[in-house]
C-alpha cells in the first residue's frame, strides 16, 4: 500500500495549458463619430493582438492607416489617430469597452466628439448559384434613379447615353440599395482625373489617372482604396472607354477590368474613406465620386442580383 502511494506521488502532474485571454478590443469595429452639433460620420477600427498591438484606423476620408502611440490597459485604449502638424493639432482617441460596445471620445485641440463602435459583421455567405439577367440602372437620358449628394454643386448630367460629371462638384448615388450583386460599368477617366465607384456606399473602387507616381498600387485605378491592390498591372488608358465587372458577395470581391481579373475573391476588411455610413450589415447604394475632378464619364451601368 505504501509503495503504491509513493508511486502515485512520484508521477509528475501534466502541465495544464493556461487559459487564452482575448483582449475585448480584438477584431474589427464599425464606428460612428458624433460632433457637438449632433452631426455624425462613419469610422472603422481593426485591433490585432500581439506583444505590440496593431490598430488600424479608417478616418472619415483618406486611407486606412496604423494608429500611433497606442496604450492598452485592459478595457481602456488611448491612441493618436492623426499626429497633426504645424497647421493643425493632433487627433487622439480615448476608448473604453463594456458589453462588447466601444465608447469614447475624439479630441482635436479643444474640439471633442463622441465615438461609439460595435463589432463589424463577418458577412460570410456562399455565393449565389444563379443570378438575374443584367438590369440597367442608368437609362442614359436623364438622372432617374440617381440623386446628387454632398455639399457641392451638382454637375452630373445625362448626355448621349453617358453619365457625365462636367466639373468638380457633388457626388451622385442610386436611390436603390443593393446587397450582393454583379455590377458592370464602363468608365472614361481623363488625364489627371480622379473618381471612385462605391459598392454599397462603403467600399471604394478607385478610378484615377493622376501622375504615374502619385499613387501606389493600393490607391491606383482598380484598387479597393487602401485595402486591396490589383494583382495585375494593366496599361494606362486615360481618355478611353474601359470596363469594370465587379462581383460582391458579403465581403468577398472580384474585380475584372477590361476583361482581365485583377482582384480574385478577396475579402474587404472594412469601410474605405468617403463611406456613407459604417452599417456594414445593411444593403447600400452605388455612389460615384464627383467631388475630386470633373471630366469623368460613365455608361452602360447594369446590375445582376442573386436569383432565388
Amino acid at each position: 500500500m505504501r509503495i503504491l502511494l509513493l508511486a502515485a506521488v512520484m508521477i509528475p502532474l501534466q502541465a495544464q495549458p493556461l487559459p487564452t485571454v482575448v483582449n475585448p478590443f480584438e477584431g474589427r469595429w464599425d464606428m460612428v463619430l458624433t460632433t457637438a452639433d449632433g452631426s455624425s460620420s462613419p469610422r472603422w477600427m481593426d485591433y490585432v493582438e500581439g506583444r505590440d498591438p496593431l490598430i488600424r484606423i479608417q478616418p472619415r476620408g483618406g486611407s486606412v492607416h496604423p494608429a500611433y502611440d497606442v496604450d492598452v490597459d485592459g478595457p481602456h485604449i488611448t491612441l493618436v489617430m492623426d499626429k497633426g502638424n504645424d497647421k493643425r493639432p493632433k487627433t487622439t482617441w480615448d476608448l473604453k469597452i463594456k458589453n462588447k460596445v466601444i465608447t469614447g471620445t475624439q479630441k482635436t485641440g479643444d474640439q471633442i466628439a463622441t465615438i461609439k463602435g460595435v463589432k463589424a459583421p463577418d458577412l460570410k455567405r456562399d455565393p449565389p448559384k444563379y443570378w438575374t439577367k443584367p438590369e440597367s440602372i442608368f437609362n442614359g437620358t436623364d438622372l432617374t434613379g440617381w440623386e446628387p449628394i454632398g455639399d457641392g454643386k451638382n454637375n452630373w448630367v445625362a448626355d448621349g447615353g453617358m453619365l457625365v460629371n462636367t466639373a468638380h462638384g457633388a457626388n451622385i448615388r442610386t436611390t436603390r440599395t443593393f446587397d450582393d450583386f454583379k455590377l458592370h460599368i464602363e468608365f472614361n477617366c481623363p488625364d489627371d482625373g480622379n473618381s471612385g465607384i462605391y459598392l454599397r456606399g462603403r467600399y471604394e473602387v478607385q478610378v484615377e489617372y493622376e501622375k504615374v507616381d502619385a499613387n501606389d498600387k493600393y490607391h491606383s485605378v482598380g484598387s479597393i482604396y487602401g485595402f486591396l491592390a490589383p494583382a495585375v498591372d494593366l496599361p494606362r488608358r486615360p481618355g478611353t472607354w474601359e470596363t469594370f465587372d465587379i462581383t460582391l458577395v458579403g465581403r468577398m470581391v472580384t474585380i475584372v477590368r477590361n476583361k482581365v481579373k485583377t482582384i480574385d475573391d478577396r475579402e474587404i476588411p472594412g469601410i474605405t474613406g468617403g463611406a456613407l455610413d459604417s452599417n456594414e450589415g445593411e444593403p447600400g447604394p452605388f455612389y460615384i465620386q464627383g467631388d475630386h475632378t470633373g471630366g469623368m464619364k460613365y455608361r452602360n451601368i447594369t446590375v445582376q442580383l442573386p436569383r432565388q
Side-chain angles (χ1 to χ4, degrees):
M1 188 68 174
R2 289 179 181 177
I3 294 175
L4 291 174
L5 288 173
L6 181 60
V9 170
M10 294 179 65
I11 297 173
L13 295 174
Q14 292 290 329
Q16 298 298 312
L18 295 174
T20 301
V21 178
V22 178
N23 188 291
F25 285 100
E26 189 163 6
R28 300 166 179 168
W29 297 85
D30 287 338
M31 311 181 83
V32 176
L33 181 142
T34 305
T35 59
D37 65 3
S39 61
S40 61
S41 56
R43 301 292 189 277
W44 178 86
M45 184 177 81
D46 182 24
Y47 181 107
V48 179
E49 185 62 279
R51 178 174 295 179
D52 296 311
L54 171 64
I55 295 180
R56 293 188 296 172
I57 301 291
Q58 175 59 68
R60 178 70 186 95
S63 184
V64 63
H65 63 76
Y68 313 103
D69 300 334
V70 175
D71 184 14
V72 182
D73 183 11
H76 182 213
I77 288 178
T78 58
L79 59 86
V80 174
M81 196 273 288
D82 186 329
K83 292 181 178 180
N85 54 37
D86 293 340
K87 297 181 180 180
R88 69 176 191 276
K90 69 180 180 180
T91 297
T92 61
W93 283 10
D94 189 319
L95 307 174
K96 295 181 179 179
I97 187 168
K98 183 178 181 181
N99 298 328
K100 300 181 180 180
V101 175
I102 292 175
T103 56
T105 55
Q106 172 179 290
K107 185 175 182 181
T108 306
D110 59 358
Q111 297 181 1
I112 298 177
T114 61
I115 301 172
K116 184 175 182 180
V118 296
K119 266 294 181 71
D122 289 336
L123 301 181
K124 292 181 178 179
R125 45 187 179 250
D126 294 330
K129 291 183 178 180
Y130 306 101
W131 296 88
T132 60
K133 293 181 179 180
E135 171 192 359
S136 176
I137 55 173
F138 170 59
N139 65 23
T141 59
D142 58 35
L143 299 184
T144 299
W146 295 78
E147 60 186 9
I149 53 175
D151 297 328
K153 177 185 176 183
N154 177 35
N155 294 311
W156 290 96
V157 297
D159 182 7
M162 301 179 295
L163 181 61
V164 181
N165 186 31
T166 59
H168 163 93
N171 302 319
I172 195 167
R173 58 158 283 178
T174 59
T175 55
R176 289 173 59 186
T177 58
F178 303 87
D179 199 353
D180 296 340
F181 56 80
K182 287 187 174 185
L183 172 70
H184 173 85
I185 187 167
E186 300 176 14
F187 66 96
N188 187 321
C189 178
D191 236 344
D192 292 326
N194 187 309
S195 180
I197 303 163
Y198 280 74
L199 314 177
R200 298 194 197 119
R202 302 182 189 103
Y203 314 117
E204 181 187 5
V205 180
Q206 172 74 312
V207 178
E208 62 83 29
Y209 277 129
E210 297 178 311
K211 296 187 184 306
V212 174
D213 58 353
N215 297 297
D216 61 25
K217 290 185 177 181
Y218 287 89
H219 304 89
S220 65
V221 59
S223 65
I224 298 295
Y225 195 81
F227 282 120
L228 302 177
V232 180
D233 291 327
L234 296 180
R236 291 167 58 91
R237 290 175 46 184
T240 65
W241 285 103
E242 303 185 62
T243 61
F244 277 136
D245 289 281
I246 303 167
T247 302
L248 182 63
V249 177
R251 293 187 179 278
M252 308 306 293
V253 67
T254 296
I255 298 178
V256 176
R257 178 178 156 216
N258 300 335
K259 299 184 178 180
V260 177
K261 189 178 290 184
T262 55
I263 293 179
D264 186 8
D265 199 31
R266 297 282 306 280
E267 183 184 45
I268 304 176
I271 65 170
T272 61
L276 298 180
D277 61 48
S278 55
N279 303 325
E280 291 193 89
E282 299 180 4
F286 296 111
Y287 104 71
I288 301 175
Q289 281 182 328
D291 61 359
H292 285 19
T293 62
M296 300 301 307
K297 302 175 184 177
Y298 297 90
R299 71 182 183 187
N300 295 335
I301 308 172
T302 65
V303 67
Q304 294 173 259
L305 305 177
R307 195 177 75 193
Q308 301 297 329

